[in-house]
Amino acid sequence: MCWEKKWRIPLVANNMARDRFFLIRNWIKLVFDNEITADERKADRLWKVRPLLDRILEGCLKQNKPQELSIDEMIVPFSGTCLVKQHIPNKPNPTGLKVYVLANPNGIVCDFTVYQGPATYVENPELEQFWQCESAVLQLTRSLVPGHTLYADRFFTSVRLADELLKKGFRLTGTIRKDRIPETTDLPSDKEFKKANERGTSFCTVREEKDKNGTKTEGKVAITKWLDNNCVCMISTAESIEPLCEVKRWSKASKQFINVSQPKVINAYNAKNGRRRLS
């Protein structure tokens, strides 16, 4: 980008040719191999570029972290030989290094973890009991103080994750896979919900925890189903249906835009989770 006409940065482009930069980058070394022990290499598959990753992470951790933050995954394009290289279809760059990121609503990365398989969370054995997707979220809360609300898609969310984040002082809102919704949850099936309701209908079930004395605690987990073109399921410990808002949607039947009721949890997810939007 430094050499492109639109994004040109004279300080860089006037002092070094693009091809020379690529040549230096291909041969640059960041560590002395003999100083890295066999155990360190086994524990960190990215040891050859670890100083660079640590420096980038240092800058990310200094970014402003508002109360609402989103968690997602991204691919760093790479086609060379690498033990942790992934191929994920339907991504803009499907082949490369998978990185879990914590970002503010503007898309600025505030923290990240590069996925390395089983070695990803070797420094935090407490995460072994959780799924990979849950561990990614819990790992990214390391730089946060209690009080933040996290927004994530269905790859990450689960009821167990929502409970664990509540214990740490964080709220969670996101879409959730149907097979991760407990069977005991009083939630109608998609077929029943579509048949019995019109577009814009919402249904919510809330689980309230109680302590040993039977007193209700603040550990409420709300699972909301909303009917738009299709059924959308949300899990949240921060928002529910109320207050409802109205959004414009295209109606195939009347061939015009109509107003459709939308739950608060959907509206908050769309507003705070960056590029992701629910129809």
Side-chain angles (χ1 to χ4, degrees):
M1 290 174 60
C2 295
W3 288 269
E4 291 180 359
K5 184 177 180 179
K6 182 177 181 180
W7 309 105
R8 181 181 173 84
I9 299 178
L11 180 64
V12 177
N14 292 343
N15 290 281
M16 181 183 293
R18 184 199 61 182
D19 291 347
R20 179 169 176 77
F21 168 77
F22 285 142
L23 180 65
I24 294 175
R25 189 187 67 174
N26 288 341
W27 291 96
I28 194 170
K29 281 186 69 68
L30 302 173
V31 297
F32 292 104
D33 294 7
N34 294 337
E35 295 180 357
I36 310 299
T37 65
D39 290 339
E40 290 175 330
R41 297 185 186 196
K42 185 177 180 180
D44 184 9
R45 293 181 175 180
L46 299 172
W47 60 271
K48 284 194 174 185
V49 292
R50 181 53 59 187
L52 177 60
L53 291 177
D54 289 343
R55 182 63 185 88
I56 296 173
L57 180 60
E58 181 183 336
C60 290
L61 293 175
K62 292 179 180 178
Q63 301 304 311
N64 179 46
K65 300 180 182 67
Q67 185 177 358
E68 293 85 11
L69 296 164
S70 62
I71 290 177
D72 206 344
E73 60 177 353
M74 62 179 289
I75 294 292
V76 177
F78 183 72
S79 57
T81 301
C82 182
L83 292 174
V84 298
K85 186 172 65 177
Q86 301 273 311
H87 179 78
I88 304 179
N90 302 323
K91 291 285 187 180
N93 298 289
T95 302
L97 305 184
K98 182 165 70 172
V99 184
Y100 298 123
V101 298
L102 175 74
N104 63 31
N106 294 326
I108 303 298
V109 176
C110 301
D111 196 356
F112 68 87
T113 299
V114 182
Y115 178 67
Q116 302 185 55
T120 307
Y121 311 108
V122 67
E123 296 180 357
N124 195 345
E126 295 180 358
L127 300 180
E128 292 181 356
Q129 60 180 308
F130 297 99
W131 297 330
Q132 174 204 142
C133 52
E134 296 170 332
S135 298
V137 177
L138 296 172
Q139 176 84 349
L140 291 172
T141 61
R142 61 191 171 185
S143 61
L144 303 178
V145 295
H148 289 278
T149 300
L150 305 178
Y151 294 84
D153 63 25
R154 63 180 188 170
F155 172 77
F156 298 97
T157 58
S158 68
V159 174
R160 180 170 62 174
L161 176 62
D163 289 336
E164 188 65 21
L165 288 174
L166 278 174
K167 293 177 184 178
K168 295 178 178 293
F170 302 104
R171 301 285 183 177
L172 174 69
T173 294
T175 51
I176 185 171
R177 288 170 45 172
K178 295 170 187 175
D179 58 357
R180 292 184 184 176
I181 299 175
E183 295 181 358
T184 55
T185 303
D186 184 21
L187 205 67
S189 66
D190 288 359
K191 186 176 180 180
E192 295 173 349
F193 199 58
K194 287 182 178 180
K195 186 176 181 180
N197 299 284
E198 61 181 11
R199 191 176 184 182
T201 303
S202 305
F203 179 88
C204 180
T205 177
V206 180
R207 187 213 65 192
E208 275 187 313
E209 291 289 345
K210 296 182 179 180
D211 59 23
K212 296 180 180 179
N213 299 322
T215 304
K216 294 180 179 179
T217 66
E218 295 183 357
K220 295 182 179 181
V221 178
I223 296 180
T224 304
K225 177 169 283 193
W226 177 53
L227 179 59
D228 192 16
N229 286 326
N230 292 303
C231 291
V232 179
C233 291
M234 304 288 297
I235 183 172
S236 179
T237 54
E239 296 100 0
S240 183
I241 293 178
E242 302 293 339
L244 285 168
C245 63
E246 286 193 346
V247 292
K248 288 188 177 297
R249 291 289 185 268
W250 178 257
S251 172
K252 290 183 179 180
S254 60
K255 297 186 182 303
Q256 62 181 352
F257 285 99
I258 60 174
N259 290 327
V260 176
S261 296
Q262 187 181 71
K264 167 66 175 176
V265 64
I266 300 285
N267 184 268
Y269 179 84
N270 287 341
K272 303 299 182 181
N273 202 32
R275 62 180 177 81
R276 294 187 178 274
R277 292 292 182 271
L278 296 177
S279 60

